[in-house]
Amino acid sequence: MSVTAPKGFKASGVAAGLKTSGNLDVALLLNDGPDATAAGVFTANRVKAAPVLWSQQVLKGRAVRAVVLNAGGANACTGPAGFQDTHRTAEHVAAKLGGMGPGQVAVCSTGLIGERLPMANLLSGVDSAVRKLERTGGDDAALAIMTTDTRPKTTVVEGDGWTVGGMAKGAGMLAPAMATMLCVITTDASAGGDALHEALTQACRVTFDRLDSDGCMSTNDTVLLLASGASGVEPTQEELTEAVTKACHDLAQQLLDDAEGHTKKITIEVVGAADEQDAVEVARSIARNNLVKCALFGNDPNWGRILAAVGTTSAQFESDELNVAINGVWVCRGGAAAEDRSKVDLSGENISIVVDLNAGKQTATVWTNDLSHAYVHENSAYSS
Amino acid sequence: MSVTAPKGFKASGVAAGLKTSGNLDVALLLNDGPDATAAGVFTANRVKAAPVLWSQQVLKGRAVRAVVLNAGGANACTGPAGFQDTHRTAEHVAAKLGGMGPGQVAVCSTGLIGERLPMANLLSGVDSAVRKLERTGGDDAALAIMTTDTRPKTTVVEGDGWTVGGMAKGAGMLAPAMATMLCVITTDASAGGDALHEALTQACRVTFDRLDSDGCMSTNDTVLLLASGASGVEPTQEELTEAVTKACHDLAQQLLDDAEGHTKKITIEVVGAADEQDAVEVARSIARNNLVKCALFGNDPNWGRILAAVGTTSAQFESDELNVAINGVWVCRGGAAAEDRSKVDLSGENISIVVDLNAGKQTATVWTNDLSHAYVHENSAYSS
């Protein structure tokens, strides 16, 4: 049910010819209200796609009536003309749906960077999408935003008389800073824009922001949260944040499950840190280390490479007080070899790395993948 | 002739059984003088190998009579016992050679992290190496320090009546900060320790520090510069720095030529930067971007990924003023598509990327490689 699980939302997904495969490629989401509050977080990349620049402006008003999303082209690095394409898309959606201005229409795009969108296709796709809008359209919408994803990502979290739904896409360029590729979360809870913003930023901080598949930050990352208020229930801030975090966590794990060319899912937990920022910095330095990622692809519990990665950070630690466990085996204690590395069983898909900095009590977890032949293959052939 | 090209040096390389292949694995370099001035730069990794900790102390005295190097084990993350192994090695070398204390013996190790060295093998290897020392031993020494290198790296730079020689090893974990894997440079010039230090730090800043093959910083990186004074010539600081830079540049390019699993050598030149630090940050962000590296492996001039990498930096620029050329074709101007990407010929081994930030007049060049199946293969099977 995806984004249409909560009351007050309609969605659709259509094939507009943006993908050469002929698959669904334009998604539309309508918030029927009564409320139209919204919050958004966007990529920290300083090279931002036109739809990101547009939607950032829209979200300043904390009111979104519709979201139009397309795959088959990122509309990034397309200059002023590309921005006008986005503006025109929002105007077209607002005119076709009625009852809203273009300033209440968020736009998201994903696909190849640096090429203009085929606007005739896109706008006629919007027309079809408007006609096909329905209360059960969330699954089609989730299909339409896929690029190299092998499967759609959706989630539903039930509150007490209210619901959170969501969809996301993303399989590469997955090192979001404030957000991941594209993600739309809906709720029929009644909540103001500030409450939504608080819930979304808290949720992203410990979910999408902790996902680092390949260290590459997209130009198009967007996470939107829309509330219709159709349930008539107003949850507390804590309840709202908890439900949104659960939805984001579920979608982030689905992104990890479908990351390009991975054979392993790696959970990196840093404990004993002086502060949370130290813990995140250390975990991310391991997640981004190609030699660590190749070793795990090869089922090699090469903890020396983990220590070499930790050593590149500015976190508080002494190198002779570092402990490392791989899948529960403490292969390194006090910065030197401890339990026999041959005890580590890396044959499964899930790998757990725990690094104890022995410098405090804070912790953080980052999720990543291994670096495989398939990743290289997929990413050396993407635009050709 | 490697490190024995300058007068006043003897060297040797022997097989001590540290490499399972039975190849040469222990190298020894002796400075016969009359001078014994020296300088060194070491890895910025905070997890430092025992030989790095030892040699840093030795170099504080700016006097080095001998350098002993081994492959087949990095002696990193080996705790206090590993440090004692290094100390004992220096003592053994000093005792066998005579005329020096252990505090004048630098030690370098390379190989797998986290395992103790087989000391009986190493010390008997030192005995053989002492016996085999000769004026023409530089080439054997260069062979003995190889790990995954496919060929030795040596250089000779001729001054006016004086000479600089050098050897280096390194093919992976190549993102030196202040140095690269292992490198020893010799000269028969007459130069004080401060002059050597000035020449070496200046040379490393624009050579080894600009090499970023895989973003992974080693625990053992060491570059040593030893002067014998045997030529009787005292070059100016400028002449010395120039010759040492030339030697370092030559060796850095040889490291790049032999980087693990590469199919392309990529030169990233950032121009129009507000300052040199900005230029280096931008060039390095591109050099470390796996999606850019995969694209170039696949002969894909995917400039959008280059802009996405630039956007992650804190350098001064406006995203709509960025220009990018690949192999001389300006595929991006003003942050958007310009010349047709199909004009870019990526069939050769050498790729040039120029990024113009349009924010000033400073420039920097960083060298890197593509990310290939062979890199993944080699680094998923290294310790097994």
Side-chain angles (χ1 to χ4, degrees):
Chain A
M1 286 293 287
S2 163
V3 285
T4 49
K7 293 175 205 143
F9 291 95
K10 288 179 186 155
S12 59
V14 300
L18 305 178
K19 288 180 184 168
T20 50
S21 62
N23 289 340
L24 303 186
D25 48 21
V26 171
L28 185 63
L29 174 67
L30 173 66
N31 184 349
D32 263 335
D35 301 343
T37 46
V41 291
F42 300 92
T43 182
N45 199 309
R46 290 173 56 204
V47 175
K48 293 186 205 306
V52 168
L53 295 171
W54 171 265
S55 297
Q56 280 184 317
Q57 291 304 313
V58 169
L59 265 295
K60 281 190 182 164
R62 296 273 163 88
V64 171
R65 284 272 168 209
V67 184
V68 58
L69 311 94
N70 74 273
N75 197 7
C77 306
T78 46
F83 188 80
Q84 286 184 7
D85 290 342
T86 293
H87 189 175
R88 204 169 139 211
T89 306
E91 284 184 324
H92 193 79
V93 168
K96 288 282 167 183
L97 288 172
M100 69 187 73
Q104 290 172 299
V105 179
V107 182
C108 302
S109 300
T110 179
L112 190 64
I113 299 172
E115 299 198 348
R116 296 276 300 278
L117 292 170
M119 286 303 291
N121 290 24
L122 177 56
L123 296 185
S124 95
V126 166
D127 295 345
S128 313
V130 168
R131 283 193 299 273
K132 292 203 175 169
L133 276 176
E134 53 183 338
R135 272 293 291 139
T136 54
D139 289 331
D140 276 356
L143 282 168
I145 59 175
M146 290 166 58
T147 54
T148 55
D149 308 65
T150 65
R151 48 187 182 268
K153 286 92 179 168
T154 65
T155 189
V156 177
V157 178
E158 295 291 350
D160 187 10
W162 56 287
T163 303
V164 173
M167 64 178 182
K169 64 82 47 182
M173 223 182 244
L174 268 188
M178 286 311 291
T180 186
M181 295 293 276
L182 299 184
C183 171
V184 180
I185 297 164
T186 54
T187 179
D188 49 18
S190 179
D194 288 348
L196 294 178
H197 186 75
E198 168 72 12
L200 188 60
T201 50
Q202 286 302 321
C204 286
R205 194 178 63 82
V206 293
T207 58
F208 295 124
D209 275 1
R210 300 289 167 81
L211 186 66
D212 194 333
S213 173
D214 61 2
C216 296
M217 189 200 300
S218 156
T219 49
N220 289 54
D221 294 340
T222 301
V223 183
L224 301 176
L225 171 60
L226 280 64
S228 69
S231 71
V233 180
E234 186 170 353
T236 65
Q237 180 71 57
E238 198 182 342
E239 290 168 336
L240 183 66
T241 301
E242 191 187 330
V244 173
T245 302
K246 217 165 157 184
C248 289
H249 182 83
D250 185 19
L251 290 169
Q253 293 300 318
Q254 292 180 54
L255 293 172
L256 187 69
D257 283 353
D258 197 25
E260 285 169 355
H262 83 283
T263 73
K264 306 283 187 187
K265 292 190 288 182
I266 305 161
T267 302
I268 302 165
E269 188 184 2
V270 174
V271 303
D275 56 41
E276 187 183 348
Q277 200 178 321
D278 272 12
V280 172
E281 184 193 358
V282 167
R284 204 177 282 282
S285 78
I286 298 166
R288 293 191 172 179
N289 189 285
N290 280 352
L291 290 174
V292 171
K293 291 158 84 91
C294 284
L296 295 176
F297 169 61
N299 292 333
D300 172 12
N302 196 322
W303 61 268
R305 292 179 179 177
I306 295 173
L307 253 63
V310 174
T312 64
T313 70
S314 62
Q316 192 178 318
F317 69 83
E318 296 299 326
S319 62
D320 58 0
E321 292 177 1
L322 295 170
N323 303 329
V324 177
I326 304 177
N327 279 357
V329 181
W330 289 91
V331 286
C332 168
R333 281 191 192 278
E339 289 188 64
D340 193 333
R341 57 202 285 157
S342 68
K343 287 186 191 164
V344 182
D345 177 7
L346 291 175
S347 58
E349 189 192 0
N350 292 295
I351 297 176
S352 147
I353 295 173
V354 180
V355 175
D356 184 352
L357 298 180
N358 262 313
K361 299 194 166 197
Q362 300 304 308
T363 68
T365 299
V366 165
W367 301 281
T368 191
N369 303 108
D370 56 340
L371 177 56
S372 67
H373 292 298
Y375 178 90
V376 173
H377 177 73
E378 188 156 351
N379 287 297
S380 57
Y382 179 58
S383 78
S384 53
Chain B
M1 286 292 287
S2 164
V3 286
T4 47
K7 293 175 205 143
F9 291 94
K10 287 179 187 157
S12 58
V14 300
L18 304 178
K19 289 180 183 166
T20 49
S21 62
N23 289 338
L24 302 187
D25 49 21
V26 172
L28 186 62
L29 174 67
L30 173 66
N31 184 349
D32 263 336
D35 300 343
T37 47
V41 291
F42 299 91
T43 182
N45 199 310
R46 290 172 57 203
V47 175
K48 295 186 204 306
V52 168
L53 296 171
W54 170 264
S55 297
Q56 280 184 316
Q57 292 303 316
V58 168
L59 266 295
K60 282 190 179 160
R62 297 274 162 88
V64 171
R65 284 275 167 208
V67 184
V68 58
L69 311 95
N70 74 273
N75 197 7
C77 307
T78 45
F83 188 81
Q84 286 185 6
D85 289 342
T86 293
H87 189 173
R88 203 169 138 212
T89 306
E91 284 183 324
H92 193 80
V93 168
K96 287 284 167 180
L97 288 172
M100 67 186 74
Q104 290 172 300
V105 179
V107 182
C108 302
S109 299
T110 181
L112 189 64
I113 298 172
E115 298 197 350
R116 295 276 300 279
L117 293 170
M119 286 303 290
N121 289 24
L122 177 56
L123 297 184
S124 94
V126 166
D127 296 345
S128 311
V130 168
R131 282 193 300 271
K132 292 201 173 171
L133 276 175
E134 52 184 338
R135 271 294 291 137
T136 55
D139 289 331
D140 277 355
L143 283 169
I145 60 176
M146 289 165 59
T147 54
T148 54
D149 308 64
T150 66
R151 45 185 183 270
K153 286 92 179 169
T154 64
T155 190
V156 176
V157 178
E158 293 292 347
D160 187 12
W162 55 287
T163 303
V164 173
M167 65 178 181
K169 65 80 47 182
M173 221 181 246
L174 267 188
M178 287 310 292
T180 187
M181 294 295 276
L182 299 185
C183 171
V184 179
I185 297 164
T186 53
T187 180
D188 49 19
S190 180
D194 289 347
L196 294 179
H197 186 73
E198 168 73 11
L200 188 61
T201 51
Q202 287 300 320
C204 286
R205 194 178 63 81
V206 294
T207 58
F208 295 123
D209 276 0
R210 299 289 166 84
L211 186 67
D212 194 333
S213 173
D214 61 1
C216 296
M217 189 201 299
S218 157
T219 48
N220 289 53
D221 294 340
T222 300
V223 184
L224 301 176
L225 171 59
L226 280 65
S228 70
S231 71
V233 180
E234 186 171 352
T236 66
Q237 180 71 55
E238 199 183 341
E239 289 168 336
L240 183 66
T241 300
E242 192 188 328
V244 173
T245 301
K246 217 166 158 182
C248 288
H249 181 82
D250 185 20
L251 290 170
Q253 293 299 317
Q254 291 180 54
L255 293 173
L256 187 68
D257 284 352
D258 197 24
E260 285 169 355
H262 84 284
T263 74
K264 307 281 187 187
K265 291 190 288 181
I266 305 162
T267 302
I268 302 165
E269 188 184 1
V270 174
V271 303
D275 58 40
E276 187 183 348
Q277 200 178 319
D278 273 12
V280 172
E281 184 193 358
V282 168
R284 203 177 282 280
S285 78
I286 298 166
R288 292 189 174 180
N289 189 284
N290 279 352
L291 290 174
V292 171
K293 292 158 83 92
C294 283
L296 296 176
F297 169 60
N299 292 333
D300 172 10
N302 195 323
W303 59 268
R305 292 179 179 178
I306 295 173
L307 253 63
V310 174
T312 63
T313 69
S314 63
Q316 193 178 319
F317 69 84
E318 297 298 325
S319 62
D320 58 359
E321 292 177 1
L322 295 170
N323 303 328
V324 177
I326 304 178
N327 278 358
V329 180
W330 289 92
V331 286
C332 167
R333 281 191 193 277
E339 289 188 65
D340 192 334
R341 57 201 286 156
S342 68
K343 287 186 190 164
V344 182
D345 178 7
L346 291 175
S347 58
E349 189 192 1
N350 291 295
I351 296 177
S352 147
I353 295 173
V354 180
V355 175
D356 185 351
L357 297 180
N358 262 313
K361 300 193 167 200
Q362 299 305 308
T363 69
T365 299
V366 165
W367 301 280
T368 189
N369 303 107
D370 56 340
L371 178 55
S372 68
H373 292 297
Y375 178 90
V376 173
H377 177 74
E378 190 155 351
N379 286 298
S380 58
Y382 179 58
S383 79
S384 51

